[in-house]
Amino acid sequence: MTAEVIDHPARWPALFIAGTLLILVFGEALLVTELAWLILIRLALFAAWLVLSLTAINLALRSRRGSPRRAMSYAILPSAALFAILWPSIAVHAPTVLGDRLHFALQRPTYEIKALALPHLGEPRLMVINWVGNPFRGTGVVYDESDEVTLPRGQHSASWKARIDRTVLACPYDYTVNAVLEGHFYLVDFGC
């Protein structure tokens, strides 16, 4: 009489993927101004993905005959790694945007106080908070009562252009609005 093999899926590959995403999102939210730490975290996660993906491939190949469900569960991790390699803009951009939204949610009361403290000069108020300003990336929050930050270049009013003068919004490399938030707030990637 032979022992019956129970074919349970392995949980650790899916847990590792979920944990990695949580680390990326919360890392971005809590360390958004600390680019060096974010880079170190991403490099460490990349190394862990590489080692664990190779381990999962080995385990999937070993268990493919006797435990097909277990083999499939191991294949999830290298499949996710392949997705991240083939579409890195999605794999990197999604956790970054989620982390930025979380960071904004945590800091929103402070930003609202700063926006309310802006002087009334007869024009819509504008405030730019650059979280990460460096040669590689600039990200932050824009408070724009006129909401002109969402308009394409060339469609802004002269008064808006004057208000953005000497801010990163005036950078010749342009900016990208990542998310329109409530109350005239915007998450923005700056070109400079």
Side-chain angles (χ1 to χ4, degrees), residues 7-192:
D7 186 17
H8 290 297
R11 291 186 180 97
W12 70 263
L15 291 173
F16 177 75
I17 293 168
T20 299
L21 292 175
L22 286 174
I23 289 169
L24 289 172
V25 169
F26 284 105
E28 182 72 28
L30 301 174
L31 300 171
V32 71
T33 60
E34 303 294 331
L35 187 62
W37 280 106
L38 285 173
I39 290 171
L40 285 174
I41 289 170
R42 289 177 181 161
L43 287 173
L45 288 174
F46 175 77
W49 270 80
L50 179 64
V51 169
L52 291 178
S53 290
L54 292 173
T55 302
I57 289 170
N58 183 26
L59 292 171
L61 291 174
R62 285 183 179 185
S63 58
R64 73 180 183 271
R65 289 194 184 165
S67 304
R69 287 179 24 173
R70 193 164 193 79
M72 293 286 284
S73 66
Y74 287 133
I76 291 171
L77 184 57
S79 298
L82 182 61
F83 175 85
I85 290 168
L86 293 175
W87 293 282
S89 60
I90 294 171
V92 172
H93 187 70
T96 300
V97 170
L98 287 172
D100 288 347
R101 283 178 178 249
L102 180 58
H103 182 77
F104 173 76
L106 294 171
Q107 296 296 318
R108 185 177 185 139
T110 304
Y111 297 152
E112 287 174 339
I113 291 169
K114 287 181 179 182
L116 289 172
L118 292 171
H120 290 279
L121 302 174
E123 293 184 342
R125 294 178 289 182
L126 176 79
M127 174 179 67
V128 178
I129 299 171
N130 192 358
W131 292 335
V132 181
N134 61 61
F136 306 109
R137 173 180 161 219
T139 299
V141 173
V142 172
Y143 174 80
D144 181 14
E145 282 184 337
S146 71
D147 299 318
E148 286 190 59
V149 71
T150 61
L151 296 176
R153 193 177 275 270
Q155 293 185 10
H156 299 111
S157 66
S159 64
W160 190 81
K161 289 177 186 175
R163 285 193 304 277
I164 69 161
D165 193 34
R166 289 183 236 142
T167 71
V168 291
L169 292 173
C171 171
Y173 299 112
D174 217 355
Y175 60 87
T176 304
V177 175
N178 284 331
V180 177
L181 307 166
E182 295 176 1
H184 306 290
F185 284 103
Y186 303 89
L187 288 178
V188 178
D189 281 344
F190 305 112
C192 297

